[in-house]
Amino acid sequence: MYQHIRRSTYHLAEGSEPWTEDYRALAFPEHWHADLLELHNHGRDEEKRQRTLPTRRLDGVLQTLAPDVIVRPRPRVPVEPGPEQRSPTAEDFWMYVPASATDPLPERSLRQFLDAWLRTLGPKGAGQDPVFRSLLLASSANLKRNLPEWKPVTGVELLTCPVTPGGTAAPVPRQFQLATDALARRVLSLDPYRFDGGELRFRAVPRGPRDQGAELMSQPLCRTVKRKEWWFSVVLNISLHTAPFDIRPRLHLHWGVRRWATHPRATTKRLSLPYGEATTVYLRPTIPWLPGAPATERYALARLRRERAADAFAWSENDTAGILRGLSLAGNFPDSEQLLAEPGSWIGEGQGVRAAVVHSTRMGKHEIGTGFMPNQRAQLTEWAEQALPKTVVRVPDLQRGRGKGIGAPGNRRPKPRTDEAKQTELLRETQARRANLAAQARVPGSAPHPGRLPLVEVRLLWQSPEVRKEAVAQFAQALGLDGDGGVSAAAITDRDFDEARPGAPVVLAWQTEELILRLRCLPLADGLGDQLVPHPAAKGKGAAISAAIVERRRALDSWLRADGADPGRPGLALVEIAHRSTFRPSTTDPKFAVRLGCADAGVLTQFVVTPSTDRQIDNADSIGHRTHSSWLDGLRQLGVRVLPQHTLGDDLPEGVQYAAVWMVKRRKDGPTRLPKHLPVAVLATPLPHTAGQAAVRGWDDAAGEWVPYPRFLLGLVKQAEIDPEACAEPDPQGAGSPSSAPRVTGRQWRTNLAQQRKETAAFLQRVLHSLRDRSTVLITHAQNSRLHWPWLQDGRIERDLIRTGHAPAGRLDDELRLVRVRGCGGRESAQWWGLADAGKPHGQPAGFWAQPVPVQGGASSGDRTFYSTTERPGTHAVSPALDRLATRVNAAGNLTSQAGTSAWNPTLLEIAVLGCHANDEPGVQALGKPDEAEALALAVHQLRQAPDYAAALSLPLPLHLAGLAQAYVLPMLAEGDESSAGETAGSTVAQDHRSATEDDADPDLMDAAGLTTEPEGGDDEG
């Protein structure tokens, strides 16, 4: 068994000299601002006038034309004072270039691209206005007379930084770019990475000022899979992060695969690009972009957009491509139609500009697999480690922490080996589900009535006979029921199923020792499961779709009430629906309208997809597996849950319960376009004298109490309100991009975010007050919640304190412990592998991991930060020694490779015990036995291994349940309530405006809880 795991993470060696570099720097020419802003606002109405210049395109072109230049964003006003305002910071600049680089931006080149940038300012069509052209010429002349000058900046420290009052590193903003860029340049200076059959030669990829890291990409590689050629590249991302209570920031290396679109669709003879979404294209010139400019080794990024009106493809004018096309390479710029018709001819080596279109899963299947398995990941990392400065070292390897083996809970799901044992375990599981379901069906507080079994009714809303038959069989199998529910005895025919109607369904019934079960089968008729049709009387696309959703919602509500659905008694329906890809545009997908209508009638929903030969899900095995899984997920919504039992004895408080907080973030695509947030909380309380049974409740904020999980889910539907324009079909000129959404200024965003944080603080205070009567571990998620609860940021936390709002941080209540988990979102969790003995491949061991030694300084991060890995599901049985790169000659004398096999790696989940009652806390002895942070962390690790799931969860069970609640929060406009219209602040725009004071300045990427073990992302698809 593996005893240690290694991470691709690096920091300054303890006691070493700082890592410094010399630069030349250029301050942003603020004297340009007034004249250029007048140019930009020419012809705009007063309410549409902008207060700042759009420099993103300018920054992007600078990164492309001047390969050695590092562009920093202009200073922004943070939402709240951050740690950098409590510590002295070095002067920042607009552009940096290594001191050793030759003339980074010749004056002639600078003048040319400034002219190109100026032409992109102003409203659309302003270039035809004589007044605008006059302003343009005057601005151009003014810029060229007042070009800024470079100044030397020596001894810039890249990994030495201030420390927060909580004892955590607080890098200054420029270090996130300068440190990663410096390491990337050192990697580029290495000899190529060699493998059997070839070598990798890397180039830099331009990174915008807010990308907060460096990226290197190899030349495209071609492999033959299934008799076709497929292209891909290897990607190395370098990012800077912090860790709780660690005074040294750390660099992460993250390896991935970027696959290139290679084969046009047979019917259209071109690549399939989705409407309303821009597709990224990587460009590589073989000559300088500008005469006199230095030759660039960097890729350039451009975006192709499919315009619905003309069904044509065009280069987006709102990014780097809009400027590059106007420069001297305009004649060699790829023709969009030719690129989409013959993508393979532009990939690889050749004359002129080379181009590669990023593959998207919407384009169809790509035969190159994603990611790297641990052994090859280790080999690539060892090669890149040669570039590390002498003062930068790898962090210590993790060792197994407390607990035996993988750190399994006491009621771990068994793994029977014989058929007899498997059958016995299946009987035990189904009996436990029935008993749990019976307990949920009893009236709260009532005792079981002798001779009177509780009754449970569920519904099957079907559309195809194949799914109906399989769903009935899988319902019986999931609950261990004998017989067919009376189909044979009552001679029920297919016609009876087809003619069933609300109030007169086909009812199948079973009776067991625990309860009576009835399955009400109804065809989802009258178009209730069909595509939404925009209401013809409504004005505007958004209002028309919104009206269609309201209409479908009411229809489902009435339809189910006619069948006896009772909102006061939560029920469950398994609903068959077509796959979302069949609904075009996506706003016509009826799934959420169906869920809302069912919820209004008191019915929880779980969906199963209609068989489709196009999606290759029409075989019986697939239907059976999907319907079985759907029934289990639906039963879990009803509260049929098994809580993992900790193995820590009295090292945890007696009767400890687990709470979780999740920020539901409404998506900006589809009918949930406008961003908004809603905090939710879930509480799992172990029931005494039971084997893992738990009462799962959700927080009803309106009532100020914890309610059963099914009632909690149904109650969330009342929170679903939004401006109907959110349902509008994407603008064909720019939909799918931030620029096409309702514009949110930085000031508006900061105001709205401040209000959302205030609301979140009040919510947290109410929840925490309700938990004072029992020992509780509150589990939070870093990437999901820290934007709205800033205390969770690495730059804010302090040991054993808590802060929910503007009041100063205070000590935890006696019954409360605070734990934060962090996953792979934003590459914050490092890539890793289990260390194998010499001569054997590195692997992926499951377990609970601890740091072996404390870090420098009095406070140690090692006694508060732990890590969790889980076993791979049986469906991902890939060899850890998979080699994606090598090509070998097989026994038949043919070239062969493993490039077509996808890799799969469990996430290294960070578990940080932010607050507990430890030995050094004043008065802790009066509370009883002091807390052990490692015991709390192990309990959270065990919560990922829920016995009623076939595979481990990506998150601890309570957090997982809280994340699932967002399925019931669909933004809709409440009748007669216009107050919610126009709310535009929230998580989806936060990536563009958030303050760099967050712990590692990476975007808030984690939008949902995973259903099973979360793999590390191995493929960058755009």
Side-chain angles (χ1 to χ4, degrees), residues 556-570:
L556 259 298
D557 182 19
S558 301
W559 192 74
L560 287 170
R561 287 176 189 259
D563 191 52
D566 181 3
R569 216 178 150 78

Side-chain angles (χ1 to χ4, degrees), residues 820-871:
R820 189 197 74 180
V821 301
R822 179 159 58 171
C824 62
R827 302 187 180 92
E828 297 181 41
S829 179
Q831 290 191 331
W832 64 282
W833 55 90
L835 288 177
D837 295 333
K840 296 183 179 180
H842 299 304
Q844 301 167 317
F848 175 67
W849 307 93
Q851 301 181 75
V853 292
V855 298
Q856 178 186 7
S860 166
S861 68
D863 63 350
R864 288 300 181 93
T865 308
F866 305 88
Y867 297 87
S868 168
T869 59
T870 56
E871 294 178 298

Side-chain angles (χ1 to χ4, degrees), residues 353-575:
V353 176
R354 312 307 299 155
V357 182
V358 176
H359 171 76
S360 167
T361 51
R362 296 189 181 186
M363 297 179 183
K365 185 177 181 181
H366 200 291
E367 292 297 341
I368 297 296
T370 58
F372 291 97
M373 290 301 281
N375 197 61
Q376 190 159 56
R377 174 185 288 176
Q379 294 170 351
L380 288 163
T381 302
E382 289 169 3
W383 169 79
E385 285 177 348
Q386 301 175 78
L388 292 173
K390 293 182 180 180
T391 57
V392 178
V393 297
R394 185 175 54 244
V395 298
D397 297 332
L398 299 176
Q399 62 187 18
R400 289 196 176 274
R402 181 172 176 171
K404 296 181 180 179
I406 66 171
N411 56 346
R412 179 190 181 190
R413 185 184 183 95
K415 295 182 178 180
R417 299 184 180 277
T418 65
D419 291 341
E420 183 179 357
K422 291 178 181 178
Q423 188 62 30
T424 301
E425 177 57 25
L426 179 61
L427 291 174
R428 186 199 65 77
E429 287 180 356
T430 54
Q431 184 178 16
R433 289 191 193 110
R434 296 195 304 268
N436 201 327
L437 197 57
Q440 299 290 334
R442 294 190 183 96
V443 177
S446 64
H449 190 286
R452 184 183 299 173
L453 295 176
L455 171 65
V456 174
E457 284 192 333
V458 298
R459 289 175 172 80
L460 170 62
L461 310 182
W462 58 276
Q463 297 195 61
S464 66
E466 300 93 335
V467 168
R468 186 200 75 216
K469 293 175 183 178
E470 199 61 50
V472 171
Q474 294 302 326
F475 177 76
Q477 183 177 335
L479 291 168
L481 307 176
D482 295 328
D484 58 10
V487 173
S488 302
I492 300 175
T493 65
D494 287 347
R495 183 174 180 178
D496 295 323
F497 280 103
D498 291 338
E499 295 179 351
R501 291 294 181 268
V506 171
V507 181
L508 309 181
W510 294 264
Q511 181 172 325
T512 70
E513 295 180 356
E514 301 85 5
L515 76 170
I516 297 172
L517 286 155
R518 291 179 184 168
L519 180 62
R520 303 173 69 89
C521 303
L522 286 166
L524 194 61
D526 304 323
L528 292 176
D530 294 348
Q531 177 171 307
L532 295 176
V533 178
H535 200 284
K539 295 182 179 180
K541 295 178 181 178
I545 288 293
S546 180
I549 294 176
V550 170
E551 184 177 0
R552 183 69 56 86
R553 178 178 182 173
R554 288 173 177 166
L556 259 298
D557 182 19
S558 301
W559 192 74
L560 287 170
R561 287 176 189 259
D563 191 52
D566 181 3
R569 216 178 150 78
L572 170 69
L574 180 64
V575 184

Side-chain angles (χ1 to χ4, degrees), residues 48-64:
K48 295 182 179 180
R49 293 178 68 85
Q50 308 300 312
R51 298 188 179 186
T52 59
L53 283 172
T55 58
R56 181 181 62 85
R57 284 169 284 183
L58 174 63
D59 295 341
V61 175
L62 277 169
Q63 299 264 249
T64 299

